[in-house]
Amino acid sequence: MRKGGNVLETVKGYVEHIVFRNGDNGYTVFHLTTEDGELTCVGTFPYISEGELLDVSGEYITHNVYGLQLQVSEHEVLEPEDLVSIERYLGSGAIKGLGAVLAGRIVRRFKGDTFRIIEEEPERLAEVSGISERKAREIAVQVYEKKDMRKAMIYLQKFGITLALAAKIYAQFGQEVYRALEENPYQIADRIPGVGFKTADEIARRIGIHTDSDYRIRSGLFYVLLQATADGHVYLPEAELLYRTKELLEIEIGDLSKYLMDLSMERKIIVKDKEDGRRIYPAQYYYMELTTAKMLHDLNVNYEIADVVIEKRLSQIEKNANLELDDMQRQAVIAAVRHGVLVLTGGPGTGKTTTINAMIRFFESEGMDIYLAAPTGRAAKRMTEATGYEARTVHRMLELGYVPEGDDNRMHYGKNEENPLEADVIIVDEMSMVDLPLMNVLLRAIVVGTKLILVGDKDQLPSVGPGSVLKDLIESHCFPVVTLNKIFRQAEESDIVVNAHKINRGEEVILDNKSKDFFFLKRNDANTIISVLLTLIQKKLPKYVDATVFDIQVLTPMRKGLLGVERLNSILQQYLNPADPKKTEKEYGDKVFRVGDKVMQIKNNYELEWEITTKYGLVVDNGVGVFNGDIGRITEINTYAETVEVEFEEKKKVRYPFELLEELELAYAVTIHKSQGSEYPAVVIPLLQGPRQLYHRNLIYTAVTRARKCVTLVGSDVTFQEMICNVNENNRYTSLAEQLMELQ
């Protein structure tokens, strides 16, 4: 076949393994099993799954790393061929003791008569090499017992459903699966974890469900609401929900009220009428805000303690610990003593750590048990170093774990309403990073009478997850809030601190490079900027800040583009950890992971196990949970076991099966959002023109405050000044502040 003057090769085969898939644009790398063997294919596919039979057309290309590939330009999904479906079912693991090799031999021997032979003449299975008469009988018994399941799984494969997903669907619906899919395939997205709207929508399309069916519209509305939580929203205004859903479904939607009423009756959403219009919440987030507000109010107990008692003890603490508190810091300690809930906020260099230390010593002198926590491992480590007291991640303090529930696992916190934290005072740092779900589970583990002190910088970027907890607490005016704004003498010597406050106030920053720790190198070309980055990281900064090249962090506003995370990481890897015959590599999608690479976990995984070992391999600590933003180094790639070992902060080692590598990405460069709660010896920030809705003051303020010893910006000074002037940060739809005020 020819197209555009080029010869297109056409190949038919089954999708054996999806190596990589970008959910945003559909770019996919997969292995196709054909009559001539296995072929690597790359291309854009709106939907694809393992086990599908495809006709693909495209041109052969030779990748400089991955070798020969078929660049697919056209494809067609074909109905599964019966023999292949039979073989895939038998080799799927559904029949114990029967793997892919034996399944292939059975089907090649008996072809379309396979199931009749197994059911009626099972002894004939012994004709197949590797199967004894005893094993033949065992296979026959299992096939008979799972006859209904077998038929359902083969039926489901016709809609492009993988065997793994088919097994989950059958486990949920049983013999009702046929009716369930033909009536409303969208219910599998509701009832089966890990199945999203887009998967259900593709199944519905293949079944022949109309694009304007009520099932599709309701499912689309709920999907849009849940997607909005990924952008930080707790609800959506009715008009915005309607707009986003029409964009997703590509249809016109008439009366929205009908669908909202149906979803309300199914208890999936909560609709609230407000002066500015109707708000639509996913039910779980509405009640999460409500219970969070209630628990905070319950904790906000006032304590009557005489001024003279507090002042006397504070003076003694200052003398013994060689601390000197200013008026606002003293006010913060007094408020912490007198109230059940306190919010302490302030920018860099304003004495938050000194204030926390004074609080700790005060409560210690009262014989109180104090817990310190932060949202991330890095933030907890910094808190420990600054206070001299052990700080843990919130997840670890709450004893996060997994407990079995049927064939699945569910997240479980050892500390909860029934087994609360045994502390008199809990101090949580980096509160700007704490989202609504994490705040909710924390509060569930705190009993009334425990003091809760929340510390953070209200001008940092908001949490990655839904909600604006710190901002909403401050705006509610329901709790004492102490804002530290005096920059202390030692901090004044740092231009990082001084300029961060200038940025926050919208003032001009002088870029004359006379500073010891704040530099701006003006460049206006992306490739020139990258060249400067490499020189700084490899030659200039390590000695200047007494750190390794892997300690220096590139922070960039965007993922895509000439200075985006994806391009920068590819280039930085080539120079900072180049290919070497001694370094094992693993290709995954369009990335190569290599021993020694700096990598980041990009989603919360509450099930991954970690352990800390001595150099002799003795396990000294272990647990579960690796979290969005955790950074580590690849220490081993085991191609035999198909695992990648990463060592994170505190020497926590995690083994990733190859199929979980989608949760890792290179981290020589990370987005500014992902750097929240972290601190690095030196930060390098490439900066050229970008979208106004993203390039705002909070973003550049957060980036600058990530550096401990040195900040270097490389790029356009015009863009830098424009960001300082741009206060149009993306607002989130949250209502925790309102919920709190209504409980006053």
Side-chain angles (χ1 to χ4, degrees), residues 256-381:
L256 191 63
S257 298
K258 170 182 178 294
Y259 304 109
L260 295 181
M261 183 175 291
D262 289 343
L263 287 167
S264 296
M265 291 176 68
E266 293 174 23
R267 299 184 179 181
K268 290 182 178 179
I269 67 169
I270 300 292
V271 180
K272 284 290 172 181
D273 288 308
K274 296 290 181 178
E275 290 181 5
D276 56 355
R278 285 203 291 185
R279 298 174 179 175
I280 294 87
Y281 297 77
Q284 69 187 96
Y285 288 102
Y286 173 79
Y287 290 114
M288 203 180 284
E289 269 196 342
L290 191 63
T291 56
T292 297
K294 177 69 169 59
M295 289 186 289
L296 281 165
H297 263 290
D298 291 345
L299 288 176
N300 195 25
V301 179
N302 293 325
Y303 300 89
E304 295 295 331
I305 303 175
D307 289 351
V308 65
V309 174
I310 299 175
E311 289 292 346
K312 183 179 179 181
R313 187 154 294 161
L314 259 181
S315 297
Q316 191 65 45
I317 287 168
E318 286 181 291
K319 181 180 177 182
N320 293 344
N322 195 25
L323 292 173
E324 187 176 340
L325 304 177
D326 73 358
D327 289 343
M328 294 305 293
Q329 290 174 312
R330 293 178 77 84
Q331 185 180 320
V333 178
I334 292 167
V337 172
R338 285 189 168 154
H339 298 279
V341 177
L342 169 70
V343 177
L344 175 65
T345 184
T350 57
K352 293 194 297 295
T353 299
T354 300
T355 308
I356 292 171
N357 280 326
M359 290 176 182
I360 291 171
R361 282 164 175 77
F362 190 102
F363 294 128
E364 246 191 345
S365 70
E366 294 280 302
M368 301 171 86
D369 290 325
I370 305 157
Y371 285 1
L372 306 184
T376 67
R378 279 180 174 244
K381 184 180 179 183

Side-chain angles (χ1 to χ4, degrees), residues 359-605:
M359 290 176 182
I360 291 171
R361 282 164 175 77
F362 190 102
F363 294 128
E364 246 191 345
S365 70
E366 294 280 302
M368 301 171 86
D369 290 325
I370 305 157
Y371 285 1
L372 306 184
T376 67
R378 279 180 174 244
K381 184 180 179 183
R382 286 197 292 118
M383 198 179 187
T384 299
E385 292 167 350
T387 63
Y389 291 78
E390 182 195 8
R392 294 170 288 175
T393 64
V394 176
H395 292 99
R396 195 164 186 202
M397 182 176 72
L398 295 176
E399 297 179 5
L400 171 69
Y402 251 77
V403 294
E405 189 178 271
D407 293 330
D408 298 316
N409 287 329
R410 64 180 174 88
M411 189 169 56
H412 172 77
Y413 289 98
K415 295 298 181 181
N416 49 42
E417 303 97 317
E418 297 173 359
N419 183 30
L421 293 163
E422 296 177 2
D424 301 304
V425 181
I426 297 172
I427 304 175
V428 183
D429 199 8
E430 293 288 355
M431 269 300 299
S432 62
M433 297 182 66
V434 175
D435 61 19
L436 179 64
L438 184 58
M439 189 66 180
N440 189 264
V441 294
L442 171 62
L443 291 171
R444 289 178 184 276
I446 302 176
V447 296
V448 174
T450 303
K451 290 180 179 292
L452 180 61
I453 299 163
L454 307 172
V455 185
D457 185 345
K458 63 182 174 62
D459 296 310
Q460 297 280 1
L461 290 168
S463 59
V464 174
S468 296
V469 175
L470 180 62
K471 185 178 176 182
D472 283 353
L473 287 179
I474 294 170
E475 289 183 355
S476 74
H477 302 290
C478 293
F479 311 100
V481 177
V482 178
T483 303
L484 304 178
N485 46 35
K486 176 186 174 182
I487 306 176
F488 284 85
R489 186 169 59 252
Q490 187 176 354
E492 279 183 332
E493 297 172 4
S494 166
D495 284 323
I496 295 174
V497 172
V498 171
N499 288 338
H501 284 273
K502 284 185 176 181
I503 290 169
N504 201 28
R505 293 191 296 264
E507 298 173 5
E508 183 179 359
V509 176
I510 298 170
L511 306 176
D512 58 7
N513 288 333
K514 293 181 180 179
S515 169
K516 293 180 180 179
D517 61 5
F518 193 99
F519 304 97
F520 201 110
L521 307 179
K522 297 177 185 179
R523 304 289 189 275
N524 291 302
D525 172 72
N527 290 332
T528 305
I529 290 171
I530 292 171
S531 178
V532 172
L533 293 186
L534 287 165
T535 301
L536 288 168
I537 296 168
Q538 290 181 296
K539 298 178 181 178
K540 304 288 186 183
L541 287 173
K543 289 182 181 178
Y544 192 72
V545 297
D546 188 26
T548 71
V549 294
F550 294 99
D551 295 323
I552 296 160
Q553 189 61 58
V554 176
L555 301 181
T556 182
M558 302 178 69
R559 289 196 58 80
K560 307 289 184 181
L562 295 175
L563 293 176
V565 163
E566 293 174 5
R567 181 169 187 248
L568 286 175
N569 272 322
S570 177
I571 294 169
L572 291 169
Q573 183 192 40
Q574 291 177 38
Y575 288 89
L576 303 182
N577 189 32
D580 187 307
K582 297 177 182 178
K583 297 177 184 176
T584 311
E585 295 182 352
K586 168 60 183 171
E587 169 201 344
Y588 188 81
D590 56 355
K591 296 189 288 280
V592 173
F593 291 110
R594 185 176 295 137
V595 169
D597 272 337
K598 184 177 180 180
V599 292
M600 173 185 277
Q601 175 78 11
I602 59 171
K603 63 185 288 189
N604 288 340
N605 187 320

